[in-house]
Coordinates of all heavy atoms in Angstrom, one line a residue:
M1 N 110.4 55.4 107.5 CA 110.9 56.2 106.4 C 109.7 56.8 105.7 O 108.7 56.2 105.6 CB 111.7 55.3 105.5 CG 113.1 55.5 105.5 SD 113.9 54.5 104.2 CE 115.1 55.7 103.8
G2 N 109.9 57.9 105.2 CA 108.9 58.6 104.4 C 109.5 59.3 103.2 O 110.6 59.5 103.1
H3 N 108.5 59.8 102.4 CA 108.9 60.6 101.2 C 108.0 61.8 101.1 O 106.9 61.7 101.4 CB 108.9 59.7 99.9 CG 109.8 58.6 100.0 ND1 111.1 58.7 99.6 CD2 109.5 57.3 100.2 CE1 111.7 57.5 99.7 NE2 110.7 56.6 100.1
D4 N 108.5 62.9 100.5 CA 107.7 64.0 100.2 C 107.7 64.2 98.7 O 108.7 64.0 98.0 CB 108.3 65.3 100.8 CG 108.2 65.3 102.3 OD1 107.2 64.8 102.9 OD2 109.1 65.9 103.0
L5 N 106.5 64.5 98.2 CA 106.3 64.7 96.8 C 105.9 66.1 96.6 O 104.9 66.6 97.1 CB 105.3 63.7 96.2 CG 104.9 63.9 94.7 CD1 106.1 63.7 93.9 CD2 103.8 63.0 94.4
Y6 N 106.6 66.9 95.8 CA 106.3 68.3 95.5 C 105.9 68.4 94.0 O 106.7 68.0 93.2 CB 107.4 69.3 95.8 CG 107.7 69.3 97.3 CD1 108.8 68.6 97.8 CD2 107.0 70.1 98.1 CE1 109.1 68.6 99.1 CE2 107.3 70.2 99.5 CZ 108.4 69.4 100.0 OH 108.6 69.4 101.3
L7 N 104.7 68.9 93.7 CA 104.3 69.1 92.3 C 104.2 70.6 92.1 O 103.7 71.3 92.9 CB 102.9 68.4 92.1 CG 102.9 66.9 92.5 CD1 101.5 66.4 92.3 CD2 103.8 66.1 91.5
Y8 N 104.6 71.0 90.9 CA 104.5 72.4 90.5 C 104.4 72.5 89.0 O 104.8 71.6 88.3 CB 105.7 73.2 91.1 CG 107.0 72.7 90.6 CD1 107.7 73.2 89.5 CD2 107.7 71.7 91.4 CE1 108.9 72.7 89.1 CE2 108.9 71.2 91.0 CZ 109.5 71.7 89.8 OH 110.7 71.3 89.4
V9 N 103.8 73.6 88.6 CA 103.6 73.8 87.2 C 104.9 74.3 86.6 O 105.5 75.3 87.1 CB 102.5 74.9 87.0 CG1 102.3 75.2 85.5 CG2 101.2 74.4 87.6
R10 N 105.3 73.7 85.5 CA 106.5 74.1 84.8 C 106.2 74.8 83.5 O 107.1 75.3 82.8 CB 107.4 72.9 84.5 CG 107.9 72.3 85.9 CD 108.9 71.2 85.6 NE 109.9 71.6 84.7 CZ 110.9 70.9 84.3 NH1 111.0 69.6 84.6 NH2 111.8 71.4 83.4
Q11 N 105.0 74.8 83.1 CA 104.6 75.4 81.8 C 104.6 76.9 81.9 O 104.2 77.5 82.9 CB 103.1 74.9 81.5 CG 102.6 75.4 80.2 CD 101.2 74.9 79.9 OE1 100.7 74.0 80.6 NE2 100.6 75.4 78.8
Q12 N 105.0 77.5 80.8 CA 105.1 79.0 80.7 C 103.6 79.5 80.6 O 102.7 78.8 80.2 CB 105.8 79.4 79.4 CG 107.3 79.0 79.4 CD 108.1 79.9 80.3 OE1 107.7 81.1 80.6 NE2 109.1 79.4 80.9
A13 N 103.5 80.7 81.1 CA 102.2 81.4 81.0 C 101.8 81.5 79.5 O 102.7 81.7 78.7 CB 102.2 82.8 81.6
S14 N 100.5 81.3 79.2 CA 100.1 81.4 77.8 C 98.7 82.0 77.7 O 97.9 81.9 78.6 CB 100.2 80.0 77.2 OG 99.3 79.2 77.8
V15 N 98.4 82.6 76.5 CA 97.1 83.1 76.1 C 96.7 82.1 75.0 O 97.4 81.8 74.1 CB 97.2 84.5 75.6 CG1 95.9 85.0 75.1 CG2 97.8 85.5 76.6
W16 N 95.5 81.6 75.1 CA 95.0 80.7 74.2 C 93.5 80.8 74.0 O 92.8 81.6 74.6 CB 95.4 79.3 74.6 CG 94.9 78.9 76.0 CD1 95.5 79.2 77.2 CD2 93.8 78.1 76.3 NE1 94.8 78.7 78.2 CE2 93.7 78.0 77.7 CE3 92.8 77.4 75.6 CZ2 92.7 77.3 78.4 CZ3 91.9 76.7 76.2 CH2 91.8 76.7 77.6
G17 N 93.0 79.9 73.1 CA 91.5 79.9 72.8 C 91.3 80.4 71.4 O 92.2 81.1 70.8
I18 N 90.2 80.2 70.8 CA 89.9 80.7 69.4 C 90.1 82.2 69.3 O 90.7 82.6 68.3 CB 88.5 80.3 69.0 CG1 88.3 78.8 69.0 CG2 88.1 80.9 67.7 CD1 86.9 78.3 68.7
D19 N 89.6 82.9 70.3 CA 89.8 84.4 70.2 C 90.8 84.9 71.2 O 90.8 86.0 71.7 CB 88.5 85.1 70.5 CG 87.5 84.8 69.4 OD1 87.9 84.8 68.2 OD2 86.3 84.5 69.7
E20 N 91.7 83.9 71.7 CA 92.7 84.3 72.7 C 92.0 84.8 74.0 O 92.5 85.8 74.5 CB 93.8 85.2 72.2 CG 94.6 84.5 71.1 CD 95.9 85.3 70.8 OE1 95.9 86.5 71.0 OE2 96.8 84.7 70.3
E21 N 90.9 84.2 74.4 CA 90.2 84.7 75.5 C 90.5 84.0 76.8 O 90.0 84.4 77.9 CB 88.6 84.5 75.3 CG 88.2 83.0 75.2 CD 88.3 82.4 73.9 OE1 89.1 82.8 73.0 OE2 87.5 81.4 73.6
Y22 N 91.5 83.1 76.8 CA 91.9 82.4 78.0 C 93.3 82.7 78.3 O 94.2 82.8 77.5 CB 91.7 80.9 77.9 CG 90.3 80.5 77.6 CD1 89.9 79.9 76.4 CD2 89.3 80.7 78.6 CE1 88.6 79.5 76.1 CE2 88.0 80.3 78.3 CZ 87.7 79.7 77.1 OH 86.4 79.3 76.8
I23 N 93.6 82.8 79.6 CA 95.0 82.9 80.1 C 95.3 81.8 81.1 O 94.5 81.5 82.0 CB 95.2 84.3 80.9 CG1 94.8 85.4 80.0 CG2 96.6 84.4 81.4 CD1 94.8 86.8 80.7
S24 N 96.4 81.1 80.9 CA 96.8 80.1 81.8 C 98.2 80.5 82.4 O 99.1 80.8 81.7 CB 97.0 78.7 81.1 OG 95.7 78.3 80.6
S25 N 98.3 80.4 83.7 CA 99.5 80.8 84.4 C 99.5 80.3 85.8 O 98.4 80.4 86.5 CB 99.7 82.3 84.3 OG 100.9 82.7 85.0
P26 N 100.6 79.9 86.4 CA 100.6 79.6 87.8 C 100.3 80.9 88.7 O 100.7 82.0 88.3 CB 102.0 79.1 88.1 CG 102.7 78.9 86.7 CD 101.9 79.6 85.7
A27 N 99.7 80.7 89.8 CA 99.4 81.8 90.7 C 98.5 82.9 90.2 O 98.4 83.9 90.7 CB 100.7 82.4 91.3
L28 N 97.9 82.6 89.0 CA 97.0 83.6 88.4 C 95.8 83.9 89.2 O 95.3 85.0 89.2 CB 96.6 83.1 87.0 CG 95.8 84.2 86.2 CD1 96.7 85.4 85.9 CD2 95.4 83.5 84.8
D29 N 95.3 83.0 90.0 CA 94.1 83.2 90.8 C 94.2 84.3 91.7 O 93.4 85.2 91.8 CB 93.6 81.9 91.5 CG 94.7 81.4 92.4 OD1 95.9 81.6 92.2 OD2 94.3 80.7 93.4
D30 N 95.3 84.4 92.4 CA 95.6 85.5 93.4 C 95.7 86.8 92.7 O 95.2 87.8 93.1 CB 96.8 85.2 94.2 CG 96.7 84.0 95.1 OD1 95.5 83.6 95.4 OD2 97.7 83.3 95.4
L31 N 96.5 86.8 91.6 CA 96.7 88.1 90.9 C 95.4 88.6 90.2 O 95.2 89.8 90.2 CB 97.8 87.9 89.8 CG 99.2 87.6 90.3 CD1 100.1 87.2 89.2 CD2 99.7 88.7 91.1
E32 N 94.6 87.6 89.7 CA 93.4 88.0 89.1 C 92.4 88.6 90.1 O 91.7 89.6 89.8 CB 92.8 86.8 88.4 CG 91.6 87.2 87.6 CD 91.0 86.0 86.8 OE1 91.6 84.9 86.8 OE2 90.0 86.1 86.2
C33 N 92.4 88.0 91.3 CA 91.5 88.6 92.3 C 91.9 90.0 92.8 O 91.1 90.8 92.9 CB 91.5 87.6 93.6 SG 90.6 86.1 93.3
A34 N 93.2 90.1 92.9 CA 93.7 91.5 93.3 C 93.4 92.5 92.2 O 93.0 93.6 92.5 CB 95.2 91.4 93.6
W35 N 93.6 92.1 91.0 CA 93.4 93.0 89.8 C 91.9 93.4 89.8 O 91.5 94.5 89.6 CB 93.9 92.4 88.5 CG 93.7 93.3 87.4 CD1 94.5 94.3 86.9 CD2 92.6 93.3 86.4 NE1 94.0 94.9 85.8 CE2 92.8 94.4 85.5 CE3 91.4 92.6 86.3 CZ2 91.9 94.7 84.5 CZ3 90.5 92.9 85.3 CH2 90.8 93.9 84.4
G36 N 91.0 92.3 89.9 CA 89.6 92.6 89.8 C 89.1 93.5 90.9 O 88.3 94.4 90.7
C37 N 89.6 93.2 92.1 CA 89.2 94.1 93.2 C 89.7 95.5 93.1 O 89.0 96.5 93.4 CB 89.7 93.5 94.6 SG 88.9 92.0 95.1
T38 N 90.9 95.7 92.6 CA 91.4 97.0 92.3 C 90.6 97.8 91.3 O 90.3 98.9 91.5 CB 92.9 96.9 91.9 OG1 93.6 96.2 92.9 CG2 93.5 98.3 91.7
Q39 N 90.3 97.1 90.2 CA 89.4 97.7 89.2 C 88.1 98.1 89.7 O 87.6 99.2 89.4 CB 89.3 96.8 88.0 CG 90.5 96.5 87.2 CD 91.2 97.8 86.7 OE1 90.5 98.6 86.0 NE2 92.4 98.0 87.0
G40 N 87.5 97.3 90.5 CA 86.2 97.6 91.1 C 86.3 98.8 92.1 O 85.5 99.7 92.1
F41 N 87.4 98.8 92.8 CA 87.7 99.9 93.8 C 87.8 101.2 93.0 O 87.3 102.2 93.4 CB 89.0 99.6 94.6 CG 89.4 100.5 95.6 CD1 88.8 100.5 96.8 CD2 90.3 101.5 95.3 CE1 89.2 101.4 97.8 CE2 90.7 102.4 96.3 CZ 90.1 102.4 97.5
L42 N 88.6 101.2 91.9 CA 88.8 102.4 91.2 C 87.6 102.9 90.5 O 87.5 104.2 90.2 CB 90.0 102.2 90.2 CG 91.4 101.9 90.9 CD1 92.4 101.6 89.8 CD2 91.8 103.1 91.7
K43 N 86.7 102.0 90.1 CA 85.5 102.4 89.3 C 84.3 102.7 90.2 O 83.3 103.0 89.6 CB 85.3 101.4 88.2 CG 86.3 101.3 87.2 CD 86.1 100.2 86.2 CE 87.2 100.1 85.2 NZ 87.0 99.0 84.2
A44 N 84.4 102.5 91.5 CA 83.3 102.7 92.4 C 82.9 104.1 92.4 O 83.6 105.1 92.3 CB 83.7 102.2 93.8
K45 N 81.6 104.4 92.5 CA 81.0 105.7 92.6 C 81.1 106.2 94.0 O 81.0 105.4 94.9 CB 79.5 105.6 92.1 CG 79.3 105.1 90.7 CD 78.8 106.0 89.8 CE 78.4 105.4 88.5 NZ 79.5 105.4 87.5
P46 N 81.2 107.5 94.2 CA 81.2 108.0 95.6 C 80.0 107.6 96.4 O 78.9 107.5 95.8 CB 81.2 109.5 95.4 CG 81.8 109.7 94.0 CD 81.3 108.5 93.2
A47 N 80.2 107.3 97.6 CA 79.1 106.8 98.5 C 79.3 107.5 99.9 O 80.2 108.2 100.1 CB 79.1 105.3 98.6
G48 N 78.4 107.1 100.8 CA 78.5 107.7 102.1 C 79.5 107.0 103.0 O 79.5 107.3 104.2
S49 N 80.3 106.1 102.5 CA 81.3 105.4 103.3 C 82.7 105.7 102.7 O 82.8 106.2 101.6 CB 81.0 103.9 103.3 OG 81.0 103.4 102.0
I50 N 83.7 105.3 103.4 CA 85.1 105.4 102.9 C 85.6 104.0 102.5 O 85.7 103.1 103.3 CB 86.0 105.9 104.0 CG1 85.6 107.3 104.5 CG2 87.5 106.0 103.6 CD1 86.3 107.8 105.7
P51 N 85.8 103.9 101.2 CA 86.2 102.6 100.6 C 87.6 102.2 101.0 O 88.5 103.1 101.1 CB 86.0 102.7 99.1 CG 86.2 104.2 98.9 CD 85.7 104.9 100.1
V52 N 87.9 101.0 101.3 CA 89.2 100.5 101.7 C 89.5 99.2 100.9 O 88.6 98.3 100.9 CB 89.3 100.2 103.2 CG1 90.7 99.6 103.5 CG2 89.1 101.5 104.0
L53 N 90.6 99.1 100.2 CA 91.0 97.9 99.5 C 92.3 97.5 100.2 O 93.2 98.2 100.3 CB 91.2 98.2 98.0 CG 91.8 97.0 97.3 CD1 90.9 95.8 97.2 CD2 92.2 97.5 95.9
C54 N 92.3 96.2 100.6 CA 93.5 95.7 101.3 C 93.9 94.4 100.6 O 93.1 93.5 100.5 CB 93.2 95.5 102.7 SG 94.7 95.0 103.6
V55 N 95.1 94.3 100.0 CA 95.6 93.1 99.4 C 96.8 92.7 100.1 O 97.8 93.4 100.2 CB 95.9 93.4 97.9 CG1 96.5 92.2 97.2 CG2 94.7 93.9 97.1
F56 N 96.8 91.5 100.7 CA 97.9 90.9 101.4 C 98.7 90.0 100.5 O 98.3 89.4 99.6 CB 97.4 90.1 102.6 CG 96.7 90.9 103.6 CD1 95.3 91.0 103.6 CD2 97.4 91.6 104.6 CE1 94.7 91.8 104.6 CE2 96.8 92.4 105.5 CZ 95.4 92.5 105.5
D57 N 100.0 90.0 100.8 CA 100.9 89.1 100.1 C 101.1 87.7 100.7 O 100.6 87.5 101.8 CB 102.3 89.8 100.0 CG 103.0 89.9 101.3 OD1 102.3 89.9 102.3 OD2 104.3 90.1 101.3
S58 N 101.7 86.8 100.0 CA 102.0 85.5 100.6 C 100.8 84.8 101.1 O 100.7 84.6 102.3 CB 103.1 85.6 101.6 OG 104.2 86.2 101.0
E59 N 99.9 84.4 100.3 CA 98.5 83.9 100.7 C 98.6 82.9 101.9 O 98.1 83.1 102.9 CB 97.9 83.2 99.5 CG 96.5 82.6 99.8 CD 96.0 82.0 98.6 OE1 96.6 82.0 97.5 OE2 94.9 81.3 98.7
E60 N 99.3 81.8 101.7 CA 99.3 80.8 102.8 C 100.2 81.2 103.9 O 99.9 81.2 105.1 CB 99.7 79.4 102.2 CG 98.6 78.8 101.4 CD 98.6 79.3 99.9 OE1 99.5 79.9 99.5 OE2 97.5 79.0 99.2
V61 N 101.5 81.4 103.6 CA 102.5 81.7 104.6 C 102.2 83.1 105.2 O 102.4 83.3 106.4 CB 103.9 81.7 104.0 CG1 104.9 82.1 105.0 CG2 104.2 80.3 103.4
G62 N 101.9 84.1 104.4 CA 101.7 85.4 104.8 C 100.6 85.7 105.8 O 100.5 86.7 106.5
S63 N 99.6 84.8 105.8 CA 98.4 85.0 106.6 C 98.8 85.1 108.1 O 98.2 85.8 108.9 CB 97.4 83.9 106.5 OG 96.8 84.0 105.2
S64 N 99.8 84.3 108.5 CA 100.2 84.4 109.9 C 101.4 85.2 110.2 O 102.0 85.3 111.3 CB 100.5 82.9 110.4 OG 101.5 82.3 109.6
S65 N 101.9 86.0 109.2 CA 103.1 86.9 109.3 C 102.6 88.1 110.0 O 101.4 88.4 110.2 CB 103.7 87.2 108.0 OG 102.8 87.9 107.2
L66 N 103.6 89.0 110.4 CA 103.3 90.2 111.1 C 102.4 91.2 110.3 O 101.7 91.9 110.8 CB 104.6 90.9 111.5 CG 105.4 90.3 112.5 CD1 106.8 91.0 112.7 CD2 104.7 90.2 113.8
Q67 N 102.5 91.1 108.9 CA 101.7 92.0 108.1 C 100.7 91.2 107.3 O 100.0 91.7 106.5 CB 102.6 92.8 107.1 CG 103.2 91.9 106.0 CD 104.5 91.2 106.4 OE1 104.8 91.1 107.6 NE2 105.1 90.6 105.4
G68 N 100.5 89.9 107.6 CA 99.5 89.1 106.9 C 98.1 89.3 107.2 O 97.7 90.1 108.1
A69 N 97.2 88.6 106.6 CA 95.8 88.7 106.7 C 95.3 88.4 108.1 O 94.3 88.9 108.6 CB 95.0 87.8 105.7
A70 N 96.0 87.5 108.8 CA 95.6 87.1 110.2 C 96.2 88.1 111.3 O 95.9 87.9 112.4 CB 95.9 85.7 110.5
S71 N 97.0 89.0 110.8 CA 97.6 89.9 111.8 C 96.6 91.1 112.1 O 95.5 91.2 111.6 CB 98.9 90.5 111.2 OG 98.6 91.4 110.1
N72 N 97.1 92.0 113.0 CA 96.3 93.1 113.3 C 96.7 94.4 112.6 O 96.3 95.5 112.9 CB 96.3 93.4 114.8 CG 97.7 93.9 115.3 OD1 98.7 93.8 114.6 ND2 97.8 94.4 116.5
L73 N 97.5 94.2 111.5 CA 98.0 95.3 110.7 C 96.9 96.2 110.2 O 96.9 97.4 110.4 CB 98.9 94.8 109.6 CG 99.4 95.9 108.6 CD1 100.4 96.8 109.3 CD2 99.9 95.3 107.3
L74 N 96.0 95.6 109.5 CA 94.9 96.4 108.9 C 94.1 97.2 109.9 O 93.8 98.4 109.8 CB 94.0 95.5 108.1 CG 92.8 96.2 107.4 CD1 93.3 97.3 106.5 CD2 91.9 95.2 106.6
E75 N 93.7 96.5 111.0 CA 93.0 97.1 112.1 C 93.8 98.3 112.7 O 93.2 99.4 112.9 CB 92.6 96.1 113.2 CG 91.8 96.7 114.3 CD 91.6 95.7 115.4 OE1 91.9 94.5 115.3 OE2 91.0 96.2 116.5
S76 N 95.0 98.1 112.9 CA 95.9 99.1 113.5 C 96.0 100.3 112.6 O 95.9 101.4 113.1 CB 97.3 98.5 113.8 OG 98.2 99.4 114.2
V77 N 96.2 100.1 111.3 CA 96.4 101.2 110.4 C 95.0 102.0 110.3 O 95.0 103.2 110.3 CB 96.8 100.7 109.0 CG1 96.6 101.7 107.9 CG2 98.2 100.1 109.0
L78 N 93.9 101.3 110.2 CA 92.6 102.0 110.1 C 92.3 102.8 111.4 O 91.8 103.9 111.3 CB 91.5 101.0 109.8 CG 91.6 100.3 108.4 CD1 90.4 99.3 108.3 CD2 91.5 101.4 107.3
R79 N 92.7 102.2 112.5 CA 92.5 103.0 113.8 C 93.3 104.2 113.8 O 92.8 105.3 114.2 CB 92.8 102.1 115.0 CG 91.8 101.1 115.3 CD 92.1 100.3 116.6 NE 91.2 99.2 116.8 CZ 90.0 99.3 117.3 NH1 89.6 100.5 117.7 NH2 89.3 98.3 117.5
R80 N 94.6 104.1 113.3 CA 95.4 105.3 113.3 C 94.9 106.4 112.3 O 95.0 107.6 112.6 CB 96.9 104.9 113.0 CG 97.5 104.3 114.2 CD 99.0 104.0 114.0 NE 99.0 102.6 113.4 CZ 100.0 102.1 112.6 NH1 101.0 102.8 112.4 NH2 99.9 100.9 112.1
I81 N 94.4 105.9 111.2 CA 93.8 106.9 110.2 C 92.6 107.6 110.8 O 92.5 108.8 110.7 CB 93.5 106.1 108.9 CG1 94.7 105.7 108.2 CG2 92.6 107.0 108.0 CD1 94.5 104.8 107.0
C82 N 91.8 106.8 111.5 CA 90.6 107.4 112.0 C 90.9 108.4 113.2 O 90.1 109.3 113.4 CB 89.6 106.3 112.5 SG 88.9 105.4 111.2
D83 N 91.9 108.1 113.9 CA 92.3 109.0 115.0 C 92.8 110.3 114.5 O 92.7 111.3 115.0 CB 93.4 108.3 115.9 CG 92.8 107.2 116.8 OD1 91.6 107.1 116.9 OD2 93.6 106.4 117.3

């Protein structure tokens, strides 16, 4: 016999700190990374290369999906664009 234990955050997202400089929320790490990368992408200066930003959904489960990070979706799309 066995048991499974699932833990999850039930607390509402909140802004806190003396100057409200902190944000606490479940799954914020993924969203923050996507937002930060998007801001960097949009603020980048023109260069001799073609910038590409790719943000995949469903971090753990989505990596092995047809459109996930471990798929050939990005490579396939970039090849078609280059052709």
